Amino acid sequence: MISVHQRHQILESLNSLDQGQTEKVLEYIRTLLHARKDESHHQKMKREALKEIRLALGQDRTLRPNF
């Protein structure tokens, strides 16, 4: 489970994105939601999503996966 503090940090990070970055993050999340439910594939997609989100947020910020 993600703590309330971590959720707040994620929301703050998303609020700091410009419109283009926000759309990219949302589109990536949508593709994750519609991805196959194969567990290994799902875990790979989650890792790739976190990498993409880290890149979108900038190199100075890091997100720690909770899985």
Side-chain angles (χ1 to χ4, degrees):
M1 248 3 212
I2 296 176
S3 73
V4 173
H5 179 69
Q6 289 172 322
R7 288 180 185 164
H8 184 69
Q9 286 179 323
I10 292 169
L11 288 173
E12 283 181 1
S13 296
L14 291 173
N15 285 333
S16 69
L17 299 177
D18 65 34
Q19 185 65 30
Q21 291 172 321
T22 302
E23 289 300 321
K24 287 180 182 179
V25 169
L26 290 174
E27 185 58 35
Y28 205 88
I29 291 170
R30 285 184 195 109
T31 61
L32 288 176
L33 292 174
H34 297 358
R36 294 183 306 152
K37 296 299 178 186
D38 175 6
E39 187 62 28
S40 63
H41 177 74
H42 184 70
Q43 289 297 324
K44 181 182 177 200
M45 291 292 291
K46 283 172 64 174
R47 281 192 299 275
E48 289 177 13
L50 287 173
K51 287 178 188 177
E52 290 292 326
I53 291 168
R54 269 190 227 105
L55 288 174
L57 294 174
Q59 298 298 328
D60 58 325
R61 298 182 185 182
T62 58
L63 296 174
R64 283 178 275 147
N66 232 10
F67 52 89

